[in-house]
């Protein structure tokens, strides 16, 4: 079976089926599909769970008594979050951000469905590999794959060295 | 704050375990004074303290401090901990691990108005009320002064992980006092320290509260600590406040047997050191002089509590002969209470003193109310607890 990347069709503003989409299209002037913004929103929604989990685990591991100490010193819950919880959760935050970034980097299905394959707008690395394979340009596909592999490797190496470094380690 | 603040509290709170807090308390907290919440472990002292701090919501009741309503469940009034202007020190030092000692101490001081309030107003040469409280001279930085008094002035750039337990607890105390709280809440702050560090910190806390005129509430189950630190004490048993009063009154005259059991059955007599010679310290309890064998020498005029267990008091009806007992007090019997084979004989020998003797001895001595006796107490049976109260 051959998957054909859809091409951005011309549609009138009233063609969007959902009221939310219609409102967005009226304000911005165009809909979300096959735009960079649409691709961004879809990717965020799709990869969020990979960030939420490490964030939540790390936030929950902050000693409750530190929060109480902060409140008793007159600092509001929101300020306490900024001045105590976030700094002590740095490791989890970095892990979550990098994991979701790496996940998005390799994402294919969502990108193709929402973003399509518009060079310079929504063509991601994985789509570009898929495109090259489709046009039987195996050399280009291999080169891009290698690039993706190297980038992924660097990101992971960076994450793990960050996690080990002193400045991110909460001094407990 | 130079005026006596009052704390009124009437709260109930239930727990899934079936334990309930049903406490009411109405006390005056003069500047620099310490109210001790004393009771056995699990009596609800800490929960009551957390309710005062605003970290725990009572199921019903009211808490008022210094004319402000902090909590009134029926009228849906709630003052969050941020607005209560309290200082809080936990049992274990809970310093922010990602901040240096300096940043920890100054954590509660953020806005410029805060800094001004603490420093005694901008550009005031003589200092405002808060500047004066630090003593003589131009208004120095009161936070630096607190750090100096606590001996942590040199630790500013260290992180909490590099501090000893005693140092960390001192930093926690400085942090709690830095924003100039109206009330300091101490939840067994000395319990995690070794004995010498504990004694030093107790003395320093006392001195600090005096210089800053901050009243404090101290939770403890340690009887020596309650005696050493407290001006007034509230005995808490089973989630209820059972007795409130001056430390010496409550410890010497517990309201009932259960309170007495939790306090320890001992007479606690306010006394003053007169002098010492050859390992024996002389203390004055009212007009009566007691001889006490203590290893540690004590400076004259030190205020102490002389503690005497009722089972260490022996009674003689004739004039004392030559014996090794150092203390012979002329007394007469005020009352006799029987408890099985043991009689508790309450004496008046210038102060109230209980003696536990067997019924047989009591019968042989022919003791009845009004009988003149001599109460004998060995010098080694009296022990002294110094009171870190600078007040005369």
């Amino acid at each position: 079976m051959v998957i054909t990347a859809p091409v951005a069709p011309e549609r009138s503003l009233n063609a969007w089926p959902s009221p939310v989409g219609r409102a967005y299209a009226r304000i911005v002037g165009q809909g979300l599909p096959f735009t960079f913004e649409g691709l961004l929103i879809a990717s965020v929604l799709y990869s969020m769970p990979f960030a939420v989990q490490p964030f939540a685990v790390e936030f929950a591991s902050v000693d409750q008594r530190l929060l109480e100490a902060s409140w008793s010193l007159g600092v509001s819950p929101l300020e306490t979050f900024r001045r105590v919880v976030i700094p002590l959760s740095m490791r989890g935050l970095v892990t979550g951000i990098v994991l979701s970034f790496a996940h998005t980097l390799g994402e294919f299905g969502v990108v193709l469905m929402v973003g399509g394959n518009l060079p310079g707008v929504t063509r991601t690395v994985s789509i570009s590999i898929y495109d090259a394979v489709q046009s039987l340009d195996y050399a280009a596909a291999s080169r891009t794959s290698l690039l993706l592999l190297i980038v992924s490797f660097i990101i992971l190496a960076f994450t793990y060295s960050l996690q080990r470094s002193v400045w991110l380690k909460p001094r407990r | 704050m130079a005026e006596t603040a009052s704390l009124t509290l009437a709260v109930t709170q239930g727990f899934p375990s079936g334990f309930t807090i049903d406490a009411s308390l109405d006390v005056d907290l003069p500047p620099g004074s310490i109210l001790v919440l004393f009771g056995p472990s699990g009596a609800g002292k800490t929960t009551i303290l957390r309710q005062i701090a605003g970290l725990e919501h009572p199921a019903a009741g009211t808490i008022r401090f210094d004319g402000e309503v902090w909590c009134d469940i029926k009228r849906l009034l709630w003052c969050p901990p941020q607005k209560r202007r309290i200082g809080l020190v936990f049992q274990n030092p809970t310093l922010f691990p990602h901040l240096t000692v300096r940043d920890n101490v100054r954590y509660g001081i953020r806005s410029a108005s805060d800094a001004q309030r603490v420093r005694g107003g901008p550009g005031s040469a003589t200092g405002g009320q808060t500047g004066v409280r630090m003593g003589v001279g131009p208004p120095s930085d009161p936070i630096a002064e607190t750090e100096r008094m606590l001996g942590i002035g040199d630790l500013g750039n260290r992180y909490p992980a590099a501090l000893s337990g005693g140092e960390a607890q001192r930093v926690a105390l400085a942090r709690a006092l830095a924003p100039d709280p109206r009330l300091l809440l101490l939840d067994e702050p000395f319990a995690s320290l070794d004995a010498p560090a504990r004694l030093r910190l107790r003395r320093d806390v006392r001195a600090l509260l005096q210089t800053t005129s901050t009243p404090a509430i101290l939770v403890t189950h340690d009887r020596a600590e309650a005696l050493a630190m407290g001006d007034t004490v509230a005995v808490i048993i089973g989630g209820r406040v059972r007795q409130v009063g001056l430390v010496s009154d409550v410890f010497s005259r517990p309201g009932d047997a259960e309170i007495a059991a939790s306090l320890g059955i001992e007479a606690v007599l306010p006394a003053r050191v007169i002098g010492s010679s050859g390992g024996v310290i002389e203390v004055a309890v009212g007009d009566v002089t007691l001889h006490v064998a203590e290893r540690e020498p004590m400076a004259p005029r030190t205020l102490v509590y002389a503690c005497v267990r009722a089972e260490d008091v022996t009674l003689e009806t004739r004039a004392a002969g030559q014996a090794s007992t150092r203390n012979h007090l002329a007394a007469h019997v005020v009352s006799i209470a029987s408890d099985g084979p043991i009689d508790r004989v309450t004496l008046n020998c210038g102060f109230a003193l209980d003696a536990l003797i067997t019924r047989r001895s009591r019968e042989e001595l022919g003791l009845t109310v009004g009988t003149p006796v001599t109460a004998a107490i060995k010098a080694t049976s009296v022990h002294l607890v110094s009171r870190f109260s600078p007040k005369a």
Side-chain angles (χ1 to χ4, degrees):
Chain A
M1 193 181 87
V2 175
I3 304 174
T4 335
V7 180
E10 294 295 320
R11 300 172 80 167
S12 80
L13 286 183
N14 291 327
W16 306 106
S18 99
V20 179
R22 217 157 29 235
Y24 178 87
R26 201 159 284 150
I27 294 163
V28 179
Q30 61 174 344
L32 282 173
F34 313 116
T35 61
F36 179 76
E37 290 76 21
L39 181 57
L40 184 70
I41 292 173
S43 297
V44 165
L45 286 178
Y46 189 72
S47 293
M48 188 92 88
F50 291 85
V52 167
Q53 184 63 16
F55 285 8
V57 168
E58 201 71 14
F59 289 160
S61 74
V62 173
D63 189 345
Q64 171 77 15
R65 288 174 314 158
L66 289 180
L67 310 186
E68 294 178 346
S70 174
W71 301 338
S72 76
L73 288 163
V75 178
S76 71
L78 201 66
E79 270 284 280
T80 300
F81 186 75
R82 187 179 71 75
R83 291 173 66 189
V84 178
V85 178
I86 298 251
L88 291 178
S89 305
M90 237 352 144
R91 271 204 292 187
L93 292 182
V94 170
T95 308
I97 287 168
V98 174
L99 271 185
S100 49
F101 179 76
H103 184 251
T104 310
L105 193 66
E107 180 46 39
F108 180 78
V110 169
V111 178
L112 192 63
M113 293 236 282
V114 178
N117 182 13
L118 306 176
V121 182
T122 60
R123 176 182 284 177
T124 66
V125 179
S126 9
I127 299 283
S128 146
I129 296 170
Y130 167 76
D131 213 35
V133 171
Q134 284 294 300
S135 48
L136 303 177
D137 186 355
Y138 292 124
S142 302
R143 279 196 301 275
T144 318
S145 299
L146 187 65
L147 183 75
L148 187 58
L149 184 70
I150 292 170
V151 169
S152 310
F153 189 80
I154 291 174
I155 289 172
L156 280 182
F158 179 69
T159 319
Y160 281 102
S161 70
L162 265 190
Q163 287 200 17
R164 222 181 277 175
S165 75
V166 180
W167 65 273
L168 275 179
K169 211 166 260 177
R171 297 174 185 85
R172 286 186 189 157
Chain B
M1 187 174 58
E3 273 139 47
T4 295
S6 66
L7 175 72
T8 316
L9 167 152
V11 287
T12 59
Q13 186 176 359
F15 291 89
S17 63
F19 179 76
T20 52
I21 300 267
D22 185 2
S24 56
L25 186 64
D26 187 355
V27 286
D28 285 335
L29 299 168
S33 72
I34 296 182
L35 164 71
V36 171
L37 301 184
F38 182 87
S41 301
K45 312 181 289 290
T46 295
T47 306
I48 293 173
L49 194 79
R50 288 172 57 83
Q51 289 173 343
I52 296 171
L55 299 174
E56 200 87 46
H57 283 255
T62 57
I63 300 173
R64 283 192 188 79
F65 177 77
D66 200 19
E68 278 179 25
V69 178
W70 277 359
C71 166
D72 190 334
I73 300 295
K74 207 177 278 173
R75 287 161 60 202
L76 298 175
L77 295 176
W78 176 257
C79 178
Q82 286 88 351
K83 297 271 185 298
R84 298 192 184 193
R85 277 189 60 206
I86 44 153
L88 183 59
V89 179
F90 294 94
Q91 180 166 350
N92 297 306
T94 45
L95 300 177
F96 303 117
H98 59 299
L99 300 177
T100 60
V101 166
R102 180 175 298 110
D103 291 343
N104 259 289
V105 171
R106 284 159 181 78
Y107 181 88
I109 311 226
R110 283 295 277 177
S111 55
S113 62
D114 263 12
Q116 274 174 17
R117 180 166 50 72
V118 172
R119 289 197 173 81
S124 88
T126 53
Q129 189 197 340
T130 46
V132 166
R133 72 191 184 145
M134 277 304 167
V136 289
S140 57
D141 179 1
I143 299 173
E145 180 68 14
T146 304
E147 286 176 323
R148 195 190 57 75
M149 283 187 73
L150 284 167
I152 56 168
D154 300 332
L155 305 178
N157 292 324
R158 292 226 216 142
Y159 281 93
L163 300 177
S164 74
E167 287 169 340
Q169 200 58 297
R170 283 163 183 269
V171 174
L173 197 65
R175 180 181 68 182
L177 283 170
D180 192 23
R182 295 184 297 178
L183 177 64
L184 186 65
L185 303 174
L186 306 164
D187 188 3
E188 309 212 23
F190 314 110
S192 61
L193 307 179
D194 56 63
R198 190 183 312 150
L199 289 180
R200 279 199 305 275
L201 190 53
R202 274 185 200 161
R203 197 173 47 232
D204 291 349
V205 166
R206 248 307 184 189
L208 256 178
L209 292 176
Q210 288 288 329
T211 35
T212 59
S213 296
T214 312
I217 300 179
L218 170 73
V219 161
T220 185
H221 65 267
D222 179 340
R223 174 192 157 76
E225 190 161 296
L227 289 173
M229 301 293 289
D231 296 303
T232 47
V233 61
V235 181
I236 296 168
I237 301 170
R240 278 155 190 79
V241 178
R242 298 290 294 271
Q243 193 174 359
V244 186
L246 293 174
V247 166
S248 56
D249 288 354
V250 171
F251 274 82
S252 297
R253 289 187 285 283
D256 59 44
E258 199 182 359
I259 298 171
S262 78
L263 294 172
I265 312 160
E266 258 188 336
V268 175
L269 312 165
R272 179 192 291 265
V273 174
I274 301 170
S276 55
S277 63
V280 175
I281 298 175
E282 286 184 20
V283 298
V285 183
D287 300 331
V288 182
T289 302
L290 287 179
H291 302 266
V292 185
E294 281 281 342
R295 285 198 193 85
E296 302 288 320
M298 284 185 174
R301 290 197 303 282
T302 307
L303 291 179
V304 294
Y305 288 114
C307 303
V308 184
R309 298 176 70 87
E311 45 272 61
D312 291 333
V313 179
T314 52
L315 300 180
E316 303 154 13
T317 41
R318 341 172 232 106
Q322 200 62 23
S324 67
T325 317
R326 294 294 311 169
N327 299 300
H328 301 274
L329 310 174
H332 62 264
V333 176
V334 175
S335 66
I336 297 171
S338 283
D339 182 16
I342 305 290
D343 283 352
R344 171 179 289 271
V345 180
T346 302
L347 308 168
N348 182 355
C349 48
F351 48 87
L353 186 66
D354 281 7
L356 282 184
I357 58 173
T358 58
R359 177 179 302 161
R360 188 118 161 244
S361 308
R362 200 252 300 166
E363 283 162 0
E364 280 172 14
L365 290 170
L367 295 185
T368 52
V369 171
T371 311
V373 290
T374 301
I377 311 162
K378 290 171 70 176
T380 48
S381 298
V382 184
H383 68 266
L384 301 179
V385 179
S386 31
R387 300 148 70 184
F388 296 127
S389 172
K391 278 177 281 183

